[in-house]
């Protein structure tokens, strides 16, 4: 049991280390800057201006939502992009041909992103609060950060689902990264989920992230553990469900991809 | 114009690459160091050398894909740096390996696309594509996607693409990589046919037998410098005129054979290796007749299990030149 | 000569459509991304208490955003793919100048992007009963043409960075959204802070877009259009000339570094 565990943990961190290394091997400070202030940051600004145009008086809701979304996005797209990248470099066959267990292998790659994004949020949130003169005297920051941390893990189940699509379809990363844009509508990033039509709301609540983001928002206005505990619990449960389903799907489709030899086709 | 298709004069090429993430530190790699050589019109010229010697770099400079750091390169009488477009029209090139074609398109569509890039009129393009597919034996598979080709088929399609516009000068960088023996033989025949058509060819390869069979002249290049340049025959002579005997005999008779051979007065080297349960004796000499006379005794004794007599192959020469320079 | 160009155009388009664009998933991108942004705009509009979303900005503007993102994405993707496949080297080594290949390629990508705009139009008309009565047809068409031309000019300009090196290529991806923000596809430029408006003045599409939006709202003042079109044309030309100048530089640079064959 202990050996099994250390093996998993070791593999996880080795993967993390390699992902980190290859992330920076040919890139420069500029690349880092790009990935940091890439899509998420400008999407935030874009939504703020759209909001301003349609007549919303307070952009804070949008700003906070988009910041809270940052750690979630890598959980979703990380694995799928990993599969896509490995495929591009022709290394997918070797990776999947190895006897290593899959979960640490693919989750490990997300580690530094999660860490990195966690730090980003810890910086961006106070900056946004200062910039928009938000009254944060009530905010319960440790609780906010807990929510952030939880969502970055609960979303990895969805990442496995999308990653397994990338396994059997070489354009999978394109589909999944496009479809994951829908999260900007569904999980309460730019407006409360209640603004959506009823049937869409039930879709929202069956996704990870929705409860996590809501809980973080509540913690920001001063709610304590008691009032958001059920949300957090729900988030964790949904997340675990997705991880179970996603991981299973990943294993099944991995077998499929070995059968039809689609691993390194581009 | 002289009858040189390629004139390389003091060609020097270095690459500068950045190292490290934060530091702006730069590193310079010299890929080709002041080399000069000429290739005659209608000649098949071979460029040999170990990995990283600078063969591909040289070929790319000659095909206008890299600019020289110093030195001049004239191709078909034109300067590769200033007359780039005209040069491109009249040369064809392939670089070994699987890259360089659109995997998601069929072989035929790949050729059609490149025919367009080389400015072939539609009627001519159709004719040439059909011919070239025939030449490289891909007519049957022309409508399959290239990603489903075997690596040998991809290599052949590369050759077809290089020949589409009927260039006068052709660079083939490791054209037989990954091709099976029969296919490689056919490809060599194709290359010979090109020479019969008065094309000039620059070939790089790691297969010495291939170079020996095909090339009129060979340059051996190492660490960016040409260390030997001659016809295969005189290269072999240059190293030595030795004949090699490989004799496999019963282990018990080894001492006897060695003693007998020592009695020959001429220069001769003996190497012994295991060929369980027998011994293999490798004899190099410049007096094969004398050795042969002694050997006949042994052959009649019935204890000789194998005898091979050969001259130096180009491979022996190549190895000795490369290793000689490294020492 | 013209026949040759048309054939090259046709062949290049075929290659691209087969390799990527006709690919279901790229189309998906052309629809999904504008849809998401439009939908967010609509719900926000509703949350703000409006009866009906602003069709020109929120719906059709989404289509323009789709066009733009599609252009940047597909240019990045195409050249990245040529780099990986090793075809970049063979294309550059052919006697057809790379600038011609790139011009044709970018045009294909811009024209494909029109699908996005068309879809947005259809949604506006069919779903939201947007009426076309007030539209100034001729100014709208001229503006649209200038948008296409402007995007094309920016496209060939950006392509240089992608060919130059992987590093400079990442700048292109970086610019996709900032340009979208300052050019205000989904909101009028006037709501931006002054300094952002100043930046957006550099981009031909911003001016052409203002023309299109005004035409859709039914502005009939020809002077308004003349100024916008003039700017769009002049800036488009400037981008194209810069691109042309850069192409020669880049062609030399990559042949010094050997970057075009690096993955
Ligand atoms: N674009 C480049 N940037 C930096 N260095 C390069 C580049 N291309 C080649 N080199 C270096 O130049 C040297 C010569 O490489 P080249 O590819 O010409 O060798 P080669 O003789 O073709 O080898 P092989 O037999 O392995 O194909 C090597 O040290 C290589 O690392
Ligand atoms: Mg080579």
């Amino acid at each position: 049991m202990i050996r099994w565990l250390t093996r998993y943990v070791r593999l996880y961190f080795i993967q993390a280390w390699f992902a980190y290394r290859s992330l920076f091997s040919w890139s420069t400070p500029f690349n880092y800057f790009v990935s940091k202030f890439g899509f998420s940051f400008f999407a935030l600004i874009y939504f703020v201006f759209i909001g301003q145009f349609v007549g919303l008086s307070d952009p804070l809701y949008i700003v906070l939502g988009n910041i809270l979304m940052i750690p979630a996005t890598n959980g979703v797209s990380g694995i799928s992009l990993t599969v896509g990248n490995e495929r591009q470099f022709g290394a997918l066959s070797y990776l999947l041909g190895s006897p290593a267990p899959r979960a640490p292998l693919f989750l490990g790659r997300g580690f530094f992103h999660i860490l990195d994004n966690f730090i980003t949020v810890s910086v961006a949130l106070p900056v946004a609060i200062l910039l928009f003169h938000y009254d944060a005297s009530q905010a319960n920051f440790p609780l906010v950060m807990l929510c952030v941390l939880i969502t970055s893990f609960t979303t990895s189940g969805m990442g496995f689902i999308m990653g397994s699509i990338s396994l059997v379809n070489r354009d999978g990363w394109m589909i999944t990264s496009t479809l994951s844009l829908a999260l900007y509508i569904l999980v309460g990033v730019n407006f409360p989920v209640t603004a959506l039509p009823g049937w869409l709301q039930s879709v929202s609540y069956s996704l990870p992230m929705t409860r996590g983001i809501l809980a973080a928002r509540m913690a920001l206005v001063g709610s304590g553990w008691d009032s958001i505990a059920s949300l957090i619990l729900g988030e964790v449960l949904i997340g675990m469900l997705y991880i179970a389903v996603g991981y299973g799907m990943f294993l099944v489709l991995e077998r499929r991809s070995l059968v039809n030899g689609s691993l390194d086709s581009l | 114009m002289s009858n040189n298709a390629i004139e390389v004069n003091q060609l020097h090429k270095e690459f500068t690459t950045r190292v490290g993430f934060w530091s702006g530190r730069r590193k310079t790699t010299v890929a080709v160091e002041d080399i000069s050589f000429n290739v005659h019109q209608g000649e098949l010229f071979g460029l040999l050398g170990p990995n990283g010697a600078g063969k591909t770099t040289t070929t790319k400079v000659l095909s206008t894909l890299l600019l020289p750091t110093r030195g001049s390169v004239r191709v078909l009488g034109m300067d590769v740096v200033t007359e780039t477009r005209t040069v491109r029209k009249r040369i064809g090139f392939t670089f070994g390996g699987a890259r360089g074609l659109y995997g998601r398109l069929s072989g035929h569509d790949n050729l059609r696309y490149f025919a367009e890039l080389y400015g072939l009129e539609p009627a001519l393009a159709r004719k040439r594509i059909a011919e070239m597919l025939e030449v490289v034996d891909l007519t049957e598979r022309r409508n399959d996607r290239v990603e489903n080709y075997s690596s040998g088929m991809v290599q052949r399609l590369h050759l077809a693409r290089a020949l589409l516009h009927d260039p006068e000068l052709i660079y083939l960088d490791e054209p037989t990589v990954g091709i099976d023996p029969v296919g490689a033989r056919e490809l060599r025949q194709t290359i010979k046919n090109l020479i019969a058509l008065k094309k000039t060819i620059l070939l790089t390869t790691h297969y010495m037998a291939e170079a020996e069979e095909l090339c009129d002249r060979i340059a051996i290049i190492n660490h960016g410098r040409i260390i030997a340049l001659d016809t295969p025959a005189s290269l072999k002579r240059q190293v030595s005129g030795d004949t090699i005997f490989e004799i496999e005999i019963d282990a018990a008779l080894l001492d006897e054979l060695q003693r007998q051979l020592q009695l020959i007065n001429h220069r001769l080297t003996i190497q012994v290796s295991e060929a369980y349960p027998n011994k293999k004796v490798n004899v190099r000499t410049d007096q094969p007749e004398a050795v042969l006379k002694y050997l006949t005794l042994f052959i009649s004794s019935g204890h000789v299990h194998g005898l091979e007599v050969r001259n130096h192959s180009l491979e022996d020469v190549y190895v000795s030149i490369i290793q000689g320079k490294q020492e | 000569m013209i026949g040759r160009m048309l054939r090259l155009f046709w062949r290049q388009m075929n290659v691209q459509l087969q390799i990527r664009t006709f690919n279901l998933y790229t189309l998906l991108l052309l629809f999904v991304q504008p849809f998401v942004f439009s939908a967010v705009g609509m719900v926000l509009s509703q949350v703000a208490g409006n009866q009906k979303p602003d069709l020109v900005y929120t719906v059709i503007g989404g289509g323009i955003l789709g066009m733009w993102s599609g252009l940047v994405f597909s240019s990045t993707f195409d050249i990245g793919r040529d780099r990986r496949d090793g075809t970049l080297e063979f294309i550059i080594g052919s006697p057809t100048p790379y600038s011609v290949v790139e011009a044709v390629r970018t045009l294909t990508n811009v024209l494909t992007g029109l699908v996005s705009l068309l879809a947005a139009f259809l949604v506006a008309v069919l779903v939201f009963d947007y009426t076309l009565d007030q539209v100034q047809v001729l100014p709208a068409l001229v503006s649209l043409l200038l948008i296409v031309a402007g995007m094309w000019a920016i496209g060939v300009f950006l392509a240089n960075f992608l060919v130059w090196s992987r590093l400079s290529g990442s700048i292109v991806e970086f610019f996709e959204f900032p340009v979208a923000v300052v050019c205000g596809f989904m909101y009028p430029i006037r709501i931006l802070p002054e300094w952002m408006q100043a930046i957006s003045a550099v981009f031909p599409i911003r001016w052409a877009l203002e023309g299109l939006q005004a035409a859709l709202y039914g502005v009939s003042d020809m002077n308004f259009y003349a100024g916008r079109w003039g700017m769009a044309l002049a800036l488009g030309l400037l981008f194209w000339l810069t691109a042309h100048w850069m192409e020669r530089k880049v062609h030399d640079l990559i042949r010094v570094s050997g970057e075009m064959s690096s993955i």
Side-chain angles (χ1 to χ4, degrees):
Chain A
M1 181 65 197
I2 296 289
R3 278 190 46 200
W4 179 82
L5 203 66
T6 48
R7 169 148 191 249
Y8 266 59
V9 170
R10 204 176 60 232
L11 196 57
Y12 181 86
F13 282 104
I14 287 175
Q15 280 302 325
W17 173 240
F18 274 109
Y20 176 77
R21 288 277 302 276
S22 61
L23 192 66
F24 291 115
S25 64
W26 55 264
S27 43
T28 59
F30 181 80
N31 284 66
Y32 178 73
F33 191 74
V34 167
S35 56
K36 179 113 291 180
F37 292 100
F39 186 79
S40 316
F41 180 71
F42 285 103
L44 182 161
I45 297 183
Y46 208 63
F47 287 127
V48 166
F49 282 127
I50 292 178
Q52 189 178 338
F53 169 60
V54 299
L56 281 181
S57 51
D58 187 10
L60 196 66
Y61 194 90
I62 299 177
V63 173
L64 294 180
N66 276 275
I67 292 177
L68 293 172
M69 173 91 171
I70 293 174
T73 42
N74 73 71
V76 173
S77 55
I79 295 171
S80 163
L81 283 182
T82 299
V83 173
N85 272 342
E86 297 293 341
R87 187 195 285 285
Q88 276 175 20
F89 292 111
L92 198 55
S93 297
Y94 297 107
L95 205 62
L96 293 184
S98 74
R102 287 357 179 186
L105 202 58
F106 283 92
L107 285 177
R109 305 202 164 212
F111 176 77
F112 275 97
H113 291 281
I114 289 178
L115 191 70
D116 191 40
N117 286 324
F118 190 70
I119 295 168
T120 310
V121 176
S122 331
V123 176
L125 219 47
V127 169
I129 286 169
L130 285 178
L131 223 55
F132 289 90
H133 308 296
Y134 175 68
D135 176 16
S137 52
Q138 305 291 314
N140 187 342
F141 279 109
L143 214 49
V144 174
M145 291 323 279
L146 178 71
C147 297
V148 169
L149 199 61
I150 285 174
T151 43
S152 47
F153 284 100
T154 48
T155 44
S156 50
M158 206 181 263
F160 265 123
I161 295 179
M162 301 201 165
S164 41
I165 296 176
S166 300
L167 271 186
V168 281
N169 188 307
R170 57 185 173 185
D171 295 314
W173 62 275
M174 235 194 266
I175 316 178
T176 53
S177 59
T178 307
L179 287 183
S180 56
L181 279 177
L183 294 175
Y184 277 106
I185 306 178
L186 291 173
V187 297
V189 175
N190 292 304
F191 41 77
V193 171
T194 46
L196 290 170
W199 61 275
L200 264 187
Q201 287 187 33
S202 24
V203 174
S204 295
Y205 280 110
S206 55
L207 290 170
M209 247 180 301
T210 309
R211 290 179 180 79
I213 289 180
L214 190 59
R217 282 190 199 281
M218 288 171 68
L220 266 176
V221 296
S223 305
W225 170 254
D226 295 340
S227 40
I228 62 169
S230 62
L231 280 174
I232 291 186
L233 197 67
E235 176 72 27
V236 170
L237 283 178
I238 286 268
M240 274 164 45
L241 188 69
Y242 270 81
I243 289 178
V245 171
Y247 191 50
M249 193 166 151
F250 193 83
L251 293 183
V252 170
L253 291 187
E254 180 190 341
R255 177 98 358 109
R256 263 280 298 284
S257 71
L258 292 180
V259 170
N260 54 22
S262 60
L263 277 186
D264 277 334
S265 58
L266 277 169
Chain B
M1 202 183 92
S2 65
N3 67 341
N4 283 336
I6 301 173
E7 293 176 357
V8 178
N9 212 329
Q10 300 281 300
L11 169 66
H12 188 91
K13 175 72 192 171
E14 27 183 78
F15 293 102
T16 314
T17 41
R18 250 173 40 95
V19 267
F21 174 51
W22 293 106
S23 75
R25 208 151 55 81
R26 280 163 194 283
K27 185 176 144 248
T28 305
T29 317
V30 177
V32 174
E33 210 173 336
D34 295 314
I35 62 169
S36 304
F37 64 92
N38 293 331
V39 178
H40 313 312
Q41 208 104 50
E43 188 177 29
L44 206 165
F45 190 87
L47 211 49
L48 309 183
N51 294 131
K55 304 179 297 294
T56 301
T57 305
T58 308
T59 314
K60 283 190 179 169
V61 172
L62 294 180
S63 44
T64 76
L65 286 170
L66 282 177
L67 290 176
T69 311
R70 287 195 297 276
S72 85
V73 176
R74 297 185 75 79
V75 155
L76 301 168
M78 294 171 286
D79 190 301
V80 288
V81 179
T82 53
E83 293 165 274
T84 314
R85 274 194 68 189
T86 338
V87 170
R88 285 177 182 172
K89 276 185 198 153
R90 293 169 58 185
I91 61 170
F93 52 89
T94 68
F95 301 116
R99 302 175 72 227
L101 293 159
Y102 288 109
R104 292 192 186 189
L105 298 186
S106 69
H108 187 253
D109 283 345
N110 267 288
L111 292 183
R112 271 216 303 209
Y113 178 59
F114 279 98
E116 201 56 63
L117 290 184
Y118 278 86
L120 266 58
E121 290 297 322
L124 180 63
R126 261 195 301 279
K127 180 167 150 280
R128 291 289 300 171
I129 291 170
E131 281 172 13
M132 287 308 113
L133 282 170
E134 203 56 52
V135 165
V136 298
D137 197 20
L138 283 175
T139 309
E140 248 169 63
R141 302 287 301 264
R142 67 179 182 280
N143 291 325
D144 293 4
R145 287 180 172 209
V146 170
E147 62 194 2
N148 297 329
Y149 281 12
S150 75
S151 51
M153 291 161 73
V154 173
Q155 284 292 327
R156 272 149 41 203
L157 189 61
H158 266 298
L159 185 66
R161 190 257 311 276
L163 298 179
L164 264 186
H165 56 299
D166 199 17
E168 297 152 59
L169 175 59
I170 303 155
Y171 307 127
L172 302 174
D173 193 356
E174 301 186 30
T176 46
V177 145
I179 298 195
D180 64 68
V182 176
R185 181 180 292 184
E186 283 168 9
L187 195 91
R188 287 198 294 273
Q189 190 52 50
T190 312
I191 295 176
K192 285 181 196 163
N193 295 345
L194 289 170
I195 286 298
L197 291 171
K198 302 259 186 302
K199 309 279 180 199
T200 309
I201 297 177
L202 181 83
L203 171 83
T204 73
T205 179
H206 286 299
Y207 304 118
M208 295 305 135
E210 184 173 291
E212 192 169 1
E213 177 185 343
L214 290 172
C215 297
D216 297 318
R217 284 192 306 147
I218 286 171
I220 297 181
I221 172 171
N222 196 10
H223 300 301
R225 289 174 171 280
I226 292 184
I227 52 177
L229 195 165
D230 218 323
T231 60
S234 30
L235 275 179
K236 285 195 276 184
R237 231 173 295 129
Q238 200 177 312
V239 171
S240 79
D242 286 359
T243 301
I244 299 166
F245 291 83
E246 270 180 6
I247 312 145
E248 197 180 324
I249 55 163
D250 282 355
L253 280 165
L254 180 66
D255 289 343
E256 173 71 6
L257 175 69
Q258 267 179 317
R259 212 181 47 240
Q260 295 263 18
L261 286 172
Q262 301 294 350
L263 293 176
I264 304 175
N265 267 334
H266 304 285
R267 188 176 62 76
L268 143 143
T269 51
I270 302 173
Q271 281 177 331
V272 181
S273 57
E274 286 298 326
Y276 188 82
N278 305 321
K279 295 278 183 191
K280 193 177 234 170
V281 187
N282 186 301
V283 186
R284 284 174 169 221
T285 175
D286 56 353
Q287 286 290 319
E289 296 86 356
V291 176
L292 209 56
K293 220 165 87 191
Y294 283 96
L295 278 180
T296 31
L297 273 169
F298 275 88
I299 293 170
S300 55
S301 75
H303 296 288
V304 174
H305 305 289
L307 173 64
E308 200 179 308
V309 188
R310 59 180 170 89
N311 286 322
H312 262 296
S313 67
L314 188 61
E315 183 160 336
D316 300 315
V317 177
Y318 174 86
V319 170
S320 87
I321 289 180
I322 294 291
Q323 282 178 344
K325 294 289 164 171
Q326 270 165 359
E327 275 153 19
Chain C
M1 181 61 202
I2 296 208
R4 165 103 223 279
M5 285 307 291
L6 282 178
R7 274 207 321 276
L8 180 63
F9 180 69
W10 173 243
R11 185 69 57 223
Q12 178 74 42
M13 207 147 113
N14 255 311
V15 168
Q16 264 166 277
L17 292 182
Q18 283 185 52
I19 290 179
R20 173 189 46 76
T21 318
F22 222 55
N23 203 311
L24 179 71
Y25 316 115
T26 339
L27 287 179
L28 199 70
L29 180 81
L30 282 173
F31 293 121
V32 172
Q33 198 191 356
F35 172 79
V36 167
F37 279 83
S38 289
V40 169
M42 284 183 229
V43 180
L44 284 178
S45 169
Q46 190 194 337
V47 171
N50 303 317
Q51 288 297 323
K52 205 176 166 191
D54 184 293
L55 293 173
V56 171
Y57 285 103
T58 306
V59 180
I60 296 170
I64 300 277
L65 177 67
M67 252 179 106
W68 169 248
S69 293
L71 171 68
V72 176
F73 173 79
S74 46
S75 296
T76 320
F77 187 83
D78 283 350
I79 298 175
R81 161 140 240 155
D82 270 339
R83 196 182 272 288
R84 268 200 321 278
D85 286 359
T87 37
L88 186 63
E89 206 163 31
F90 287 95
I91 295 175
I92 290 176
S94 81
T96 305
Y98 188 73
S99 50
V100 174
V101 176
E102 196 47 58
V104 169
R105 201 211 284 271
T106 308
L107 187 60
T108 310
N109 289 340
V110 178
L111 293 181
T112 325
L114 284 174
V115 170
S116 198
L117 186 61
L118 185 72
F121 246 105
L122 288 179
V123 168
V125 173
L126 299 178
V127 181
F128 293 99
D129 303 323
Y130 176 68
T131 49
L132 299 168
D133 304 337
Q134 81 292 354
V135 173
Q136 300 278 320
V137 178
L138 193 65
L141 287 179
V142 173
S143 303
L144 184 60
L145 199 69
L146 285 172
I147 290 177
V148 168
M151 281 200 188
W152 176 83
I154 300 178
V156 290
F157 172 74
L158 292 181
N160 283 316
F161 292 91
L162 291 161
V163 175
W164 185 358
S165 72
R166 287 164 311 180
L167 181 59
S168 62
S170 49
I171 298 179
V172 174
E173 282 174 65
F174 177 71
F175 272 107
E176 175 189 343
F177 244 82
V179 172
V181 168
V182 295
C183 286
F185 304 140
M186 295 185 65
Y187 42 81
I189 304 284
R190 60 171 190 279
I191 73 162
L192 293 173
E194 295 279 336
W195 62 274
M196 281 194 183
Q197 296 191 28
I199 298 176
S200 79
V202 179
F203 297 102
I205 39 177
R206 169 230 154 129
W207 300 98
L209 192 60
E210 278 189 320
L212 180 68
Q213 286 153 353
L216 293 179
Y217 274 124
V219 173
S220 60
D221 175 12
M222 267 303 159
N223 282 333
F224 177 89
Y225 291 115
R228 302 297 184 278
W229 292 346
M231 286 303 280
L233 212 55
L235 289 170
L237 210 61
L238 194 67
F239 262 95
W240 179 63
L241 287 175
T242 315
H244 198 67
W245 172 79
M246 261 186 87
E247 263 150 15
R248 310 181 57 139
K249 291 269 173 237
V250 167
H251 185 231
D252 283 351
L253 281 172
I254 52 175
R255 290 186 305 153
V256 167
S257 64
E259 259 278 357
M260 62 188 138
S261 58
S262 58
I263 310 178

